[in-house]
Amino acid sequence: MQNIYKYLFLLIFLFSMAFAPAHAQSAADYPARPIRVLVPYPPGGGTDIIARAVTLKLSAHLKQQLVIDNRGGGGGNVAHELAARAAPDGYTLMVAISALLTNAAINPRPTYDPLRDFTPLMLIARSPYRVVAFPGLPAKSMQEFVALAKAKPGAMSYGSAGAGSAIHLAVELFRMQTGISMVHVPYKGTGPAITDLIAGQIQIMFAGTSSAAPHVKSGRVRALGITSLKRRADSPDLPTLAETVAPGYEAGEWFAVFAPAGLPKPLIERLHGDLAKTINDAELRERLAAGGMDVIGGAPAELAALVKRDYAKWSRLIKETGLKAD
């Protein structure tokens, strides 16, 4: 019997040794074929534009083709679920936004775990929201708007890209901190919400720079504030909510690259290294800055910490407010 155990142990040892070089070789040869990059939204949107700009540069560093796979639907959850279930072999990546967290936080039965089902690779960029209002509204600052909303509880309405969206949660956080009452009007995307804002169907909304800037410039909407902690160099005259009506308030969108959970360390290091080279590209940085985004970068552990912190923040808000998705 003892000889049998020795024989089995020897077989296991030889088997593991036989496969160890193959695994090392596969990591050394990576990537040997095209890489799929999941984008949780349809072509042409902000996330898609950023994903294409990043993958174009990343492809040159990896010396391999990166294929964008737009999987819109479920507020981004279709792509989130695909990425969570994909093999951790480096051939499936995902460019995700903060909806990766808010969707899971607001869903009573989430189909993925944002803390356990993904390998964080790098935070690419962050962008605050612009607070924009219908120009006919008799409020020309955040202080005046909050005073107006308190004087007329429930009379003000705000739009979002949908119930449970990151923008919806950002406004609810603002509403809680200021103690105002507003009516939420969910839309199927930011575009329709801004259209109704211009028409005066809603009074206020939080919007990304790329969505809001053209309408602010044309005068079709009025910018009242920004959701970053500090004023931005590209709009120094636009005060923050933190300095005017909600001390410490901060919200916004972030864009990051993830892989499925369990990605081997050599592949994490390879992808992170090439992503670092990618975001240091002057042309890419200029393009992102033009869209009102701050290029961030950083180690995978920093992105993991952000995911953990933000998920706790939004989960707490949802629990306190009783918010529900559509």
Side-chain angles (χ1 to χ4, degrees):
M1 181 66 71
Q2 188 175 9
N3 288 336
I4 293 176
Y5 283 129
K6 287 183 179 179
Y7 179 69
L8 287 173
F9 177 82
L10 180 61
L11 281 178
I12 293 170
F13 176 78
L14 291 174
F15 184 86
S16 63
M17 289 299 290
F19 276 85
H23 177 75
Q25 184 67 32
S26 67
D29 289 345
Y30 175 83
R33 54 187 170 86
I35 299 168
R36 176 176 66 158
V37 180
L38 288 163
V39 177
Y41 304 97
T47 307
D48 178 68
I49 292 170
I50 292 171
R52 291 178 187 275
V54 170
T55 54
L56 180 65
K57 300 293 183 180
L58 180 59
S59 178
H61 293 297
L62 287 170
K63 296 180 174 57
Q64 184 57 263
Q65 183 182 12
L66 275 71
V67 181
I68 296 289
D69 185 1
N70 294 96
R71 293 298 184 104
N77 284 344
V78 171
H80 300 161
E81 292 168 13
L82 284 172
R85 296 169 185 167
D89 56 7
Y91 290 99
T92 296
L93 303 177
M94 177 174 65
V95 175
I97 63 175
S98 45
L100 178 71
L101 310 183
T102 56
N103 287 4
I106 203 167
N107 192 332
R109 290 181 294 277
T111 54
Y112 63 89
D113 187 322
L115 303 182
R116 293 199 298 262
D117 290 343
F118 306 99
T119 297
L121 293 174
M122 181 174 284
L123 177 63
I124 300 298
R126 299 188 73 159
S127 177
Y129 299 124
R130 263 63 174 176
V131 182
V132 289
F134 171 58
L137 189 70
K140 294 180 172 59
S141 69
M142 288 307 303
Q143 295 96 322
E144 290 181 3
F145 176 78
V146 169
L148 184 64
K150 286 185 175 180
K152 299 180 178 180
M156 300 292 114
S157 60
Y158 73 93
S160 80
S165 65
I167 288 177
H168 178 203
L169 297 186
V171 180
E172 284 299 305
L173 180 62
F174 162 71
R175 188 190 61 75
M176 282 189 66
Q177 287 191 220
T178 55
I180 63 176
S181 173
M182 295 192 292
V183 176
H184 175 222
V185 183
Y187 292 84
K188 292 183 177 180
T190 302
I194 288 185
T195 298
D196 268 10
L197 180 69
I198 293 170
Q201 298 301 313
I202 55 176
Q203 284 71 52
I204 198 170
M205 70 175 291
F206 287 24
T209 299
S210 58
S211 300
H215 303 296
V216 172
K217 187 176 181 179
S218 68
R220 288 192 289 267
V221 300
R222 177 188 296 142
L224 299 182
I226 192 167
T227 64
S228 52
L229 276 177
K230 297 180 180 179
R231 295 196 187 198
R232 292 177 57 87
D234 57 8
S235 50
D237 296 330
L238 193 60
T240 68
L241 273 62
E243 71 181 273
T244 53
V245 293
Y249 180 89
E250 182 183 22
E253 199 64 270
W254 51 250
F255 303 82
V257 180
F258 295 85
L263 189 69
K265 186 177 179 180
L267 296 188
I268 294 175
E269 292 173 348
R270 172 67 194 278
L271 284 164
H272 178 265
D274 284 333
L275 280 166
K277 296 174 187 175
T278 296
I279 66 166
N280 282 327
D281 181 90
E283 182 184 356
L284 178 64
R285 295 179 77 91
E286 183 178 344
R287 182 171 182 179
L288 293 176
M293 285 172 277
D294 300 316
V295 179
I296 305 297
E302 293 176 279
L303 175 56
L306 170 67
V307 166
K308 185 177 181 180
R309 185 171 62 249
D310 275 12
Y311 187 55
K313 171 184 175 180
W314 297 124
S315 296
R316 185 167 56 250
L317 173 70
I318 289 163
K319 184 177 181 180
E320 290 174 357
T321 60
L323 291 173
K324 298 183 184 299
D326 285 331

